[in-house]
Amino acid sequence: MQAIGVDVGGSGVKAALVDLGSGEFVGERLRVDTPQPATPDAVVSATRQLVAGFPDHLPVGIGFPAPVVDGITTTAAHVDAAWVDAPARRLFGQGLGRDVVVLNDADAAGLAESHFGAAAGEPGVVVVLTLGTGIGSAILSGGVLVPNTELGHLPVRGVAAEERASARIRKEQGLSWEQWAEALGEVIAAIDALLWPDLVLLGGGVSRKAEKFVPLLDVRPRVRAAALQNRAGIVGAAALAAEAAA
Ligand code: BGC
């Protein structure tokens, strides 16, 4: 079984054909810059352009950087404000000319880690944090996802977690790995005090450099780098699309 996964991010829209037996991409990942401003029309048309490069009979899943409740995007932290309360499933469906599933981008990453990655077979509570433009979160218990958690917006000493410890903040503020690990450790400790997870997985492109910061984290729960890095959003979106189509 194959499906198409799309990951809408603050800086790029990415898509790939995914083999759902292995969780691997089939062929190349395609990418375009996220249009600015990232209005619904502009993002849907960028997505249409990407998806046109793949077979047209396959299910499509789209990970989006906002909570997605019944196909409606409810906030817009890193995309245009017009996405607040937008009927995303209908807009993408009309734009692409077929049914699609739309889910939160970090939930997609969590599903992918649970199916194919570092949370596979984990019986306990896993928190997946995606470190990118913002911080996305997914919570899984025994592989079952609690959708639309927004731990990146948890205030930590009065400032939203993603404004302290996202990968974007590390670059914008020129933080050393030590400084960034300290900020990230505070975020994980704040989450730990509320949820007591068995395992925390850190994803996003920066998880490629996990050896530079994971060993510096001084926190209670086990912390590991996510396995699928920035492929996870695409793979998880494709997996959900395939399940919905089955
Ligand atoms: C959004 C989340 C999203 C995360 C990562 C946050 O600002 O509120 O919904 O998962 O960024 O893209």
Side-chain angles (χ1 to χ4, degrees):
M1 177 81 193
Q2 295 182 339
I4 298 159
V6 178
D7 187 14
V8 176
S11 54
V13 183
K14 294 138 278 179
L17 186 57
V18 178
D19 177 310
L20 296 159
S22 62
E24 298 291 336
F25 289 173
V26 181
E28 290 295 294
R29 185 190 79 155
L30 305 181
R31 179 190 188 282
V32 292
D33 283 347
T34 304
Q36 299 301 339
T39 58
D41 276 355
V43 173
V44 168
S45 94
T47 305
R48 181 198 306 123
Q49 182 194 327
L50 282 182
V51 169
F54 298 109
D56 62 9
H57 61 283
L58 292 174
V60 178
I62 300 170
F64 194 89
V68 184
V69 180
D70 289 337
I72 311 273
T73 44
T74 61
T75 67
H78 304 290
V79 285
D80 191 79
W83 284 101
V84 176
D85 293 333
R89 183 171 56 212
R90 181 159 61 72
L91 295 174
F92 280 110
Q94 284 169 352
L96 273 60
R98 50 178 145 177
D99 286 347
V100 299
V101 301
V102 185
L103 75 165
N104 173 261
D105 56 355
D107 283 348
L111 288 175
E113 290 297 330
S114 164
H115 282 61
F116 304 108
E122 171 67 43
V125 173
V126 183
V127 170
V128 180
L129 298 177
T130 61
L131 307 168
T133 309
I135 294 182
S137 62
I139 301 180
L140 297 129
S141 175
V144 177
L145 174 74
V146 179
N148 293 320
T149 59
E150 288 282 280
L151 299 179
H153 295 270
L154 183 71
V156 178
R157 289 196 288 117
V159 178
E162 69 177 18
E163 295 303 324
R164 284 188 168 280
S166 60
R168 169 182 53 90
I169 290 290
R170 183 181 73 84
K171 286 199 183 141
E172 278 177 9
Q173 299 189 352
L175 301 180
S176 67
W177 291 109
E178 287 75 13
Q179 288 168 320
W180 188 57
E182 193 176 331
L184 190 55
E186 283 189 354
V187 166
I188 294 171
I191 292 170
D192 187 35
L194 300 176
L195 296 172
W196 293 84
D198 297 293
L199 175 65
V200 176
L201 294 181
L202 300 178
V206 72
S207 59
R208 269 195 299 269
K209 298 183 182 148
E211 77 287 353
K212 296 207 188 284
F213 62 94
V214 172
L216 303 176
L217 293 167
D218 182 17
V219 291
R220 184 202 63 89
R222 279 185 290 138
V223 180
R224 285 208 298 258
L228 285 94
Q229 297 169 349
N230 56 2
R231 288 188 299 127
I234 292 176
V235 171
L240 189 69
E243 268 168 40

